[in-house]
């Protein structure tokens, strides 16, 4: 518990009596001793300069101002006994004390208030600085008045228009700056008709004309607010410049199309295998080799491919593939047969490698290509059959040499035909090689050293060096390789020697014109009959574009990772089976998991709830999530007391099918509270303005009635004796077909009714003014609640005796004083008593008034008003505090009494509770905190 001087209660009276001449403290209250921490006797012997931190001469100046009544309110810094300093508000005035004029100073501690005000100013400054310097432009547009209420400076920065110009734009001005092709979709933005609490945000991308004339791409995220009738009132949103992102997307798309065109031109089939799911993605050329279209092969999986393999090749192909998956082979390469759509078999050369693995090394994605080598295989088989046949012929002719002359000529001719066929095949192979865009070369070795080098013409096109230059310098290729990458060629050659298998390396070379490009170099060994390496063939493919795309993709992934982890709101990425693929740090903290690995690969109810089945309260069960994209609100997933907005974005694959879902969770609890408070404040403000205007407009014409009615009565009193005398001579006199006596009485009755109606209007106007009147601070003090209640009873005693048969009152004498406003408390009791009187509807009606301490909370004082009147149902009980709501007959009430009571009780820091039952009466209880409760709250 803190020292009392650190947190003085509001009820403390800190008073100092100061000698005007010398500044000595002549007297002080006990509360002053508690506040400053000095004993009372010590404080009464001190000088004001011992407390006030101002220089003595400045203290003298301020005292003179107070003595001359130039100023009676001051703000100082006072020093306490423990050396701490307090910001105080001092009210000083001259009084007579012990026969001389002195200064009486009342001190209020405003340290905490000053600190709160300073913190609020700093908070507002930080919020404005954040809003003014964010990269996204924030705006609010008034739809009813067609103008911008606010636009942050970011919009001026990326659009080029001054902020004062932007604020003056109408809706049509904004539409005219949108690109003509995008205007229709901007015009057709639909305003949600849902209530404000359920309204969903929207977003749109469009091109916007910059102040310099060019167009920029904007991403506009916004939502609408509506008034109580559902009409759109304002559009609130943020605008981001996504021009750079659009350029990157266009570049990636162009590179993708370029690679597709290259693959299509070379008639190479490509395949991409998801090892985990078995899904297989093929291009059109792959299917075309077998006479199919992709649609005819759908659905495509690894089983589709295996069903097409020749039965004799399947076991070998699968075994070779598994070796690569297990890491026993660096790449997968194979030649085997596939069944054509028309039933025959074609030979393919298939190669590939794993391009993506999971964090634990588990393979995920494998990519490769297919080349139709049926013609080459057939040529080789033809050559083999020809060679076998030749051997048979030679053996046969050797045994039949005596008869061989004629047959020998025939065999020699057949041999020449075979040689011509071989030459033709060689020439055909050369033409096929020259037709390829890949660079093909052969290095001839002798004693392990390069002695000759031959290249295809595409090597000249790729590097800029002529065949003569390659022939003159066998090591030219090594020297045109970038120095940092030459070891890759050497390592690749070593792998060739170690494994006697083809090897591939990727490195950079410098063309003759100085340009640096990336290439993929695959070398294939050639051995002589003794098994010695005599040469190796190479195939070089330029992969510069692919490398750039990989670097760009890597950079994009790193940027995306930082952006996702930097988001303050939880974000989770699910696959189409709703298994967790990724989540950011905010999501990890939100679900209270220790590591990302706990959730990856699991469904949400497994990862975050530890369940085996989906949650019963899930708004969107797993069976209905496919294809969903949108936004909804729910109770907090981890804290039911919170309110959350869930945004679901669907990620589609190249075929437009859902591939993944992005879940974002926003806590909108405070946002909804602020919205409700803002609406209530606006309603009350509008109601106050309306009431003030109505009271003024009603009061003016009623004054004519109220002040002229007495004059009219005096006129009648003057005229009636004259008419009475005239009517006395005519006993049967009638006025408006009525006897004169009835007419005379009716005139007086009408005049009474006019006066009663005017007084009633004055009462209603007074209640209206009381309802909207602002009660200023400084009216509260310690009061005896019993005396205030007794005074209120005296005010309405006549009304109670006239209507109620029995009125009882029980007011305890031992109740503590309450720090409150006596006038407000008096009005509360009067209103409750009058309300009870108006509810009486029985012959044995009764009202009781009790003043006691609360049974549940001994630090609360309770004022109870009970009656046995008509009572209220549930619906009426929930409306009785609404302004102008009343169940009384016309003329018996304005509907403002209980509304004023509730407002006054709230201002006094208390609460009002009501219980009621139809036909049995009602109980109104007002709870007020005692000073002890207030002190405890402040100390804590």
């Amino acid at each position: 518990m803190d020292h009392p001087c650190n947190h003085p209660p509001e009820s403390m009276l800190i008073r100092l009596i100061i000698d005007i001449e010398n500044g000595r403290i002549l007297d002080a209250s006990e509360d002053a001793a508690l506040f400053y921490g000095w004993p009372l006797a010590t404080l009464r012997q001190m000088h004001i300069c011992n407390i006030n931190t101002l220089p003595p001469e400045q203290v003298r100046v301020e005292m003179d101002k107070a003595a001359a009544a130039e100023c009676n309110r001051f703000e100082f810094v006072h020093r306490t006994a423990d050396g701490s300093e307090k910001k105080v508000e001092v009210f000083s005035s001259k009084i007579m004390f012990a026969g001389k004029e002195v200064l009486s100073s009342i001190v209020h501690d405003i340290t905490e208030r000053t600190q709160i005000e300073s913190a609020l100013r700093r908070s507002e400054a930080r919020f404005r600085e954040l809003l003014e310097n964010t990269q996204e432009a924030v705006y609010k547009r008034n739809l009813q008045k067609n103008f911008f209420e606010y636009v942050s400076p970011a919009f001026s920065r990326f659009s080029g228009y001054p902020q004062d110009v932007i604020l003056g734009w109408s809706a049509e001005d904004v539409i005219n700056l949108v690109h003509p092709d995008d205007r229709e979709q901007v015009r057709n933005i639909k305003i949600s008709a849902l209530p404000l609490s359920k309204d969903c945000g929207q977003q749109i991308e469009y091109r916007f004309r910059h102040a310099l004339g060019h167009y920029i791409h904007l991403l506009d995220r916004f939502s609408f607010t509506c008034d109580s009738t559902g009409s759109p009132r304002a559009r609130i949103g943020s605008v981001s410049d996504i021009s750079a992102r659009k350029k990157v997307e266009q570049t990636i798309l162009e590179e993708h199309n370029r690679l597709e065109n290259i693959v299509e031109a070379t008639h190479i089939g490509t395949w991409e295998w998801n090892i985990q799911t078995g899904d297989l993605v093929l291009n059109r050329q792959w299917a075309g080799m077998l006479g199919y279209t992709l649609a005819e092969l759908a659905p495509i999986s690894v089983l589709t491919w295996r069903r097409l393999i020749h039965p004799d090749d399947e076991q070998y192909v699968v075994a070779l593939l598994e070796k690569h998956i297990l890491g026993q082979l660096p790449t997968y390469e194979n030649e085997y047969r596939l069944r054509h759509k028309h039933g025959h078999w074609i030979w393919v050369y298939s190669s590939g490698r794993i391009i993506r693995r999971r964090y634990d090394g588990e393979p995920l994605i494998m990519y490769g290509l297919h080349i139709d080598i049926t013609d080459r295989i057939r040529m080789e088989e033809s050559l083999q059959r020809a060679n076998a046949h030749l051997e048979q012929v030679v053996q046969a002719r050797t045994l039949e040499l005596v008869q061989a002359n004629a047959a020998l000529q025939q065999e020699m001719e057949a041999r020449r035909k075979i040689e011509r066929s071989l030459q033709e095949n060689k020439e055909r192979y050369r033409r096929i090689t020259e037709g390829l865009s890949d660079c093909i070369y052969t290095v001839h070795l002798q004693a392990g050293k390069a002695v000759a080098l031959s290249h295809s013409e595409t090597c000249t096109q790729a590097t800029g060096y002529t065949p003569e230059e390659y022939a003159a310098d066998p090591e030219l290729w090594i020297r045109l390789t970038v120095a940092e990458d030459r070891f890759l060629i050497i390592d690749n050659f070593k792998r060739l020697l170690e494994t006697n298998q083809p090897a591939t390396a990727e490195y950079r070379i410098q063309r003759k014109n100085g340009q640096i490009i990336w290439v993929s170099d695959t070398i294939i060994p050639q051995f002589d009959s003794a098994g010695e390496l005599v040469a190796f063939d190479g195939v070089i493919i330029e992969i510069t574009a692919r490398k750039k795309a990989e670097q760009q993709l890597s950079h994009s992934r790193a940027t995306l990772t930082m952006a996702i982890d930097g988001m303050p709101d939880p974000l989770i990425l699910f696959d189409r089976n709703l298994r967790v693929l990724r989540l950011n740090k905010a999501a990890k903290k939100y679900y209270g998991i220790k590591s990302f690995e706990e959730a990856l690969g699991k469904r949400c109810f497994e990862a975050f709830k530890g369940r085996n089945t989906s949650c019963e309260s899930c708004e969107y069960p797993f069976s209905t999530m496919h294809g969903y994209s949108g936004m909804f609100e729910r109770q907090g997933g981890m804290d039911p007391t919170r309110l959350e907005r869930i945004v679901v974005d669907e990620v589609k694959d190249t075929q437009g099918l859902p591939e993944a879902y992005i879940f974002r969770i926003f806590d909108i609890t405070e946002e909804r509270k602020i919205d409700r408070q803002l609406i209530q404040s606006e309603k009350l403000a509008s109601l106050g303005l309306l009431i003030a205007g109505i009271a003024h407009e009603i009061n003016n014409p009623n004054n004519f009635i109220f002040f002229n009615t007495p004059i009219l009565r005096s006129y009648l009193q003057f005229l009636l004796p004259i008419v009475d005398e005239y009517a006395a001579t005519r006993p049967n006199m009638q006025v408006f077909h009525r006897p004169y006596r009835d007419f005379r009485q009716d005139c007086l009755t009408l005049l009474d009714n006019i006066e009663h109606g005017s007084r009633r209007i004055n009462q209603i106007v007074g209640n209206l003014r009381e309802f909207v009147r602002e009660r200023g601070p400084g009216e509260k003090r310690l009061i005896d609640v019993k005396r205030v209640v007794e005074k209120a009873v005296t005010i309405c005693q006549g009304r109670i005796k006239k209507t109620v048969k029995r009125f009882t009152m029980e007011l305890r004498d031992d109740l503590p004083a309450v720090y409150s406003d006596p006038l407000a408390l008096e009005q509360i009791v009067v209103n409750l008593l009058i309300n009870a009187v108006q509810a009486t509807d029985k012959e044995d009606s009764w009202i009781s008034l009790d003043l006691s301490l609360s049974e549940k909370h001994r630090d609360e004082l309770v004022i109870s008003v009970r009656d046995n009147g008509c009572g209220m149902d549930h619906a009426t009980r929930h409306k009785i505090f609404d302004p102008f709501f009343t169940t009384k007959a016309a003329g018996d009430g304005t509907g403002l009494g209980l509304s004023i009571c509730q407002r006054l009780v709230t201002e006094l820091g208390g609460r009002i509770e009501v219980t009621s039952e139809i036909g049995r009466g009602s109980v109104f209880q007002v709870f007020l905190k005692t000073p002890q409760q207030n002190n405890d709250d402040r100390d804590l």
Side-chain angles (χ1 to χ4, degrees):
M1 187 72 71
D2 295 339
H3 192 277
C5 69
N6 294 329
H7 300 281
E10 295 183 3
S11 59
M12 290 182 67
L13 178 61
I14 306 172
R15 184 178 182 184
L16 301 176
I17 304 299
I18 304 171
D19 193 321
I20 298 177
E21 296 178 358
N22 54 29
R24 298 193 63 82
I25 300 174
L26 302 177
D27 196 7
S29 65
E30 293 183 357
D31 288 342
L34 289 175
F35 177 71
Y36 289 109
W38 280 291
L40 187 59
T42 303
L43 189 61
R44 290 172 176 171
Q45 297 177 0
M46 294 174 63
H47 194 281
I48 189 61
C49 291
N50 299 133
I51 294 176
N52 199 318
T53 59
L54 289 176
E57 57 273 13
Q58 185 63 35
V59 173
R60 181 73 262 171
V61 171
E62 302 300 325
M63 288 178 59
D64 291 342
K65 290 181 181 179
E70 297 178 3
C71 179
N72 68 338
R73 180 190 174 280
F74 305 88
E75 288 189 6
F76 297 127
V77 177
H78 279 188
R79 186 183 300 107
T80 60
D82 61 1
S84 61
E85 294 182 349
K86 300 288 185 180
K87 184 77 173 181
V88 297
E89 181 182 44
V90 180
F91 293 90
S92 295
S93 60
K94 287 196 302 183
I95 64 171
M96 295 299 296
F97 180 81
K100 63 182 299 185
E101 287 188 339
V102 297
L103 285 179
S104 174
S105 297
I106 303 299
V107 181
H108 298 282
D109 185 4
I110 61 171
T111 304
E112 184 175 355
R113 186 187 75 190
T114 304
Q115 292 173 349
I116 292 174
E117 291 173 351
S118 177
L120 283 174
R121 287 193 295 271
R122 291 195 301 271
S123 176
E124 290 175 358
R126 286 196 298 270
F127 176 75
R128 179 163 293 278
E129 180 181 4
L130 177 65
L131 196 60
E132 297 291 335
N133 293 282
T134 183
Q135 295 300 314
E136 291 193 9
V138 180
Y139 69 88
K140 179 178 182 182
R141 181 167 186 83
N142 191 313
L143 300 179
Q144 297 175 342
K145 297 183 179 180
N146 193 18
F147 72 95
F148 282 103
E149 293 183 0
Y150 175 76
V151 177
S152 65
F155 194 83
S156 294
R157 289 197 293 270
F158 59 66
S159 69
Y161 297 98
Q163 192 167 12
D164 55 347
V165 173
I166 298 171
L167 291 173
W169 281 346
S170 66
E172 195 60 33
D173 293 335
V174 177
I175 292 294
N176 290 337
L177 293 174
V178 176
H179 193 281
D181 296 343
D182 298 341
R183 287 177 187 170
E184 191 63 25
Q185 66 166 336
V186 175
R187 288 183 188 275
N188 292 336
I189 291 175
K190 294 183 178 180
I191 300 176
S192 174
L194 293 173
L196 180 62
S197 62
K198 298 181 180 178
D199 198 8
C200 296
Q202 303 182 43
Q203 69 177 31
I204 187 174
E205 294 183 8
Y206 54 87
R207 289 162 290 180
F208 190 81
R209 189 167 72 241
H210 193 274
L212 299 179
H214 62 277
Y215 283 94
I216 59 177
H217 285 266
L218 299 182
L219 172 60
D220 191 350
R221 301 183 182 92
F222 57 90
S223 62
F224 295 96
T225 61
C226 302
D227 57 23
S228 59
T229 64
S231 301
R233 182 179 62 189
R235 173 173 167 178
I236 303 174
S238 63
V239 180
S240 305
D241 184 358
I242 58 171
S243 302
R245 193 195 79 188
K246 284 293 184 180
K247 290 181 181 178
V248 171
E249 290 176 352
Q250 183 62 28
T251 301
I252 293 175
L253 179 61
E254 291 173 356
E255 289 294 330
H256 176 75
N257 292 337
R258 180 170 176 268
L259 290 174
E260 288 289 337
N261 293 334
I262 292 173
V263 169
E264 185 173 356
T266 55
H267 302 290
I268 295 176
T270 63
W271 50 271
E272 182 179 339
W273 177 28
N274 188 320
I275 300 174
Q276 299 296 317
T277 65
D279 294 337
L280 190 64
V281 179
L282 309 175
N283 69 345
R284 190 162 48 84
Q285 285 74 18
W286 196 100
M289 290 180 190
L290 302 177
Y292 292 99
T293 64
L294 289 174
E296 291 175 324
L297 292 175
I300 302 173
S301 67
V302 70
L303 296 177
T304 307
W305 166 68
R306 292 191 64 168
R307 285 195 294 267
L308 296 172
I309 301 175
H310 194 286
D312 296 342
D313 299 340
E314 182 177 6
Q315 184 176 359
Y316 170 73
V317 170
V318 172
L320 199 62
L321 189 61
E322 289 178 350
K323 285 184 178 181
H324 173 65
I325 292 175
L326 295 174
Q328 299 174 4
L329 292 176
T331 59
Y332 162 74
E333 291 183 286
N334 195 11
E335 295 178 358
Y336 56 91
R337 290 163 289 182
L338 292 174
R339 186 175 66 251
H340 195 273
K341 179 181 179 180
H342 296 151
H344 61 275
W345 300 94
I346 66 168
W347 281 88
V348 296
Y349 166 75
S350 178
S351 65
R353 66 186 180 91
I354 295 173
I355 61 173
R356 189 186 307 165
R357 292 182 181 272
R358 209 165 60 184
Y359 65 93
D360 57 358
E362 187 73 15
L364 296 176
I365 302 297
M366 184 172 180
Y367 184 82
L369 54 86
H370 272 193
I371 300 176
D372 187 350
I373 59 171
T374 305
D375 291 341
R376 194 200 78 189
I377 294 296
R378 288 176 179 171
M379 285 190 295
E380 291 177 352
E381 290 175 348
S382 177
L383 287 175
Q384 290 174 358
R385 288 194 300 270
N387 287 331
H389 179 65
L390 181 59
E391 290 295 332
Q392 293 175 1
V393 170
V394 169
Q395 291 176 4
R397 293 299 181 268
T398 302
L399 297 175
E400 301 174 0
L401 194 55
V402 291
Q403 309 170 11
N405 281 338
L408 184 58
Q409 292 297 325
Q410 296 176 358
E411 292 299 330
M412 290 178 64
E413 182 62 27
R415 184 66 177 266
R416 283 193 293 270
K417 289 180 179 180
I418 293 173
E419 289 176 352
R420 283 196 301 272
S421 176
L422 288 173
Q423 185 62 32
E424 290 173 358
N425 289 338
K426 183 177 179 180
E427 182 62 22
R428 183 181 179 189
Y429 177 75
R430 184 187 64 78
R431 288 196 302 270
I432 291 173
T433 302
E434 291 176 351
L436 293 174
S437 60
D438 302 336
C439 178
I440 301 175
Y441 64 92
T442 302
V443 177
H444 301 278
L445 304 174
Q446 187 174 357
K449 293 184 178 181
V451 295
L453 180 65
S454 61
H455 290 78
S456 64
E457 292 183 2
T458 53
C459 289
T460 300
Q461 299 172 5
T463 65
Y465 290 96
T466 64
E468 290 77 14
E469 289 175 305
Y470 281 114
D473 187 358
E475 296 185 354
L476 175 60
W477 189 268
I478 296 294
R479 289 191 296 100
L480 63 84
T481 302
V482 175
E484 294 85 351
D485 294 352
R486 290 174 185 170
F487 76 93
L488 296 172
I489 298 178
I490 298 173
D491 291 345
N492 200 37
F493 186 68
K494 288 180 179 179
R495 285 197 299 272
L496 178 76
L497 296 177
E498 291 172 356
T499 64
N500 291 332
Q501 296 292 330
T504 302
E506 295 178 356
Y507 53 87
R508 295 166 293 173
I509 65 171
Q510 184 174 15
R511 302 180 77 249
K512 192 172 184 179
N513 61 5
Q515 179 187 4
I516 303 296
I517 63 173
W518 278 90
V519 297
S520 173
D521 186 1
T522 301
I523 54 179
I524 306 167
Q526 294 184 24
F527 302 95
D528 60 11
S529 58
E532 294 292 332
L533 181 66
V534 296
F536 62 85
D537 298 319
V539 179
I540 295 178
I541 303 173
E542 183 181 350
I543 59 171
T544 306
R546 194 197 80 193
K547 281 292 185 179
K548 289 182 178 179
E550 289 176 352
Q551 293 173 357
Q552 189 175 34
L553 180 60
S554 176
H555 177 72
S556 299
R557 286 176 175 170
T559 303
L560 179 62
T561 299
M562 289 189 294
I564 290 176
D565 284 338
M567 293 178 64
D569 301 307
L571 184 146
I572 310 103
L573 177 65
F574 294 100
D575 66 9
R576 60 185 177 183
N577 294 319
L578 291 179
R579 289 186 172 88
V580 179
L581 298 178
R582 183 165 190 161
L583 65 162
N584 65 355
K585 292 181 179 179
K588 174 185 172 186
K589 180 179 179 181
Y590 174 83
Y591 286 110
I593 59 177
K594 296 181 179 179
S595 64
F596 294 106
E597 290 73 15
E598 291 183 25
L600 296 180
K602 301 177 181 178
R603 293 194 177 187
C604 67
F605 54 79
E606 299 171 334
F608 306 135
K609 297 289 187 178
R611 296 173 56 94
N612 297 323
T613 59
S614 60
C615 304
E616 295 82 357
S617 60
C618 183
E619 290 86 350
Y620 292 90
F622 292 96
S623 60
T624 62
M625 276 300 297
H626 296 290
Y628 178 85
S629 181
M631 182 186 306
F632 60 91
E633 295 181 4
R634 69 176 190 187
Q635 282 187 333
M638 303 303 290
D639 184 357
T641 63
R642 311 297 293 178
L643 184 62
E644 296 174 347
R645 179 185 295 126
I646 308 300
V647 178
V648 183
D649 293 317
E650 180 184 12
V651 181
K652 296 183 178 179
D653 58 19
T654 55
Q655 297 180 357
L657 298 176
E659 184 178 36
Y661 298 91
I662 300 175
F663 279 59
R664 289 178 290 168
I665 303 174
F666 300 93
D667 189 330
I668 60 173
T669 307
E670 298 303 323
E671 177 185 331
R672 287 291 177 264
K673 287 182 181 178
I674 292 173
D675 288 346
R676 289 194 294 270
Q677 292 171 359
L678 179 60
I679 292 172
Q680 184 63 19
S681 298
E682 291 178 352
K683 287 169 60 180
L684 291 178
S686 301
L687 183 59
L689 291 174
L690 177 63
I691 290 174
I694 290 174
H696 178 74
E697 294 299 326
I698 291 175
N699 203 40
N700 286 338
N702 186 57
N703 285 337
F704 291 107
I705 300 172
F706 187 80
F707 291 113
N708 290 329
T709 301
I711 298 173
L712 179 59
R713 183 181 294 277
S714 63
Y715 286 173
L716 282 176
Q717 290 174 351
F718 175 79
L719 292 174
L720 284 176
I722 299 173
V723 179
D724 290 344
E725 184 178 347
Y726 176 78
T729 61
R730 293 169 175 76
N732 297 324
M733 177 180 174
Q734 290 189 348
V735 181
F736 295 104
H737 307 291
R738 301 174 63 188
Y740 170 72
R741 180 178 296 179
D742 295 342
F743 170 76
R744 187 182 189 278
Q745 183 62 37
D746 199 32
C747 287
L748 296 175
T749 301
L750 290 175
L751 193 60
D752 291 337
N753 290 340
I754 291 173
E755 287 183 332
H756 176 75
S758 180
R759 285 194 298 271
R760 184 63 182 158
I761 292 173
N762 279 335
Q763 180 185 358
I764 294 173
V765 171
N767 286 338
L768 289 174
R769 287 176 172 170
E770 179 62 27
F771 178 73
V772 301
R773 182 170 70 89
E774 285 287 336
R775 302 185 64 88
E779 299 180 359
K780 295 182 179 180
R781 57 186 172 85
L782 280 174
I783 63 172
D784 184 348
V785 180
K786 179 181 178 182
R787 290 191 176 185
V788 175
V789 172
E790 289 174 342
K791 185 177 180 182
V793 172
T794 302
I795 293 174
C796 51
Q797 185 76 38
R799 182 74 178 272
I800 295 174
K801 288 182 177 180
K802 183 180 178 181
T803 307
V804 181
K805 186 173 183 179
R806 181 164 51 93
F807 175 70
T808 60
M809 182 169 58
E810 184 177 349
L811 309 178
R812 288 178 52 180
D813 294 325
D814 58 345
L815 298 176
V818 173
Y819 189 72
S820 183
D821 181 352
L823 295 179
L825 188 57
E826 179 183 297
Q827 183 175 354
I828 292 169
V829 177
V830 169
N831 285 359
L832 292 179
L833 288 173
I834 296 301
N835 184 70
V837 169
Q838 293 174 341
T840 56
D841 62 347
K842 301 176 178 66
E843 292 184 2
D844 60 341
S845 60
W846 57 264
I847 296 175
S848 67
L849 173 62
D850 299 329
L851 177 62
S852 60
L853 288 175
S854 172
E855 295 180 358
K856 293 183 179 179
H857 305 283
R858 302 299 294 176
D859 47 17
E860 284 187 335
L861 190 145
V862 185
I863 303 173
S864 302
V865 177
R866 294 178 171 84
D867 65 74
N868 67 337
C870 58
M872 298 174 285
D873 58 18
H874 180 78
T876 303
R877 192 164 63 250
H878 280 74
K879 296 180 180 179
I880 57 175
F881 294 115
D882 293 346
F884 304 109
F885 175 80
T886 180
T887 59
K888 303 178 181 67
D892 288 343
T894 62
L896 292 175
L898 290 179
S899 177
I900 293 172
C901 279
Q902 186 187 47
R903 191 191 69 179
L904 293 177
V905 170
T906 302
E907 290 177 355
L908 296 179
R911 70 183 191 279
I912 184 168
E913 296 180 358
V914 183
T915 57
S916 184
E917 186 176 350
I918 292 180
R920 302 189 65 178
S922 304
V923 179
F924 286 78
Q925 290 183 303
V926 176
F927 296 84
L928 300 174
K929 293 182 179 179
T930 63
Q932 180 61 39
Q933 174 66 18
N934 293 334
N935 291 344
D936 292 345
D937 289 344
R938 283 189 289 272
D939 291 342
L940 290 175

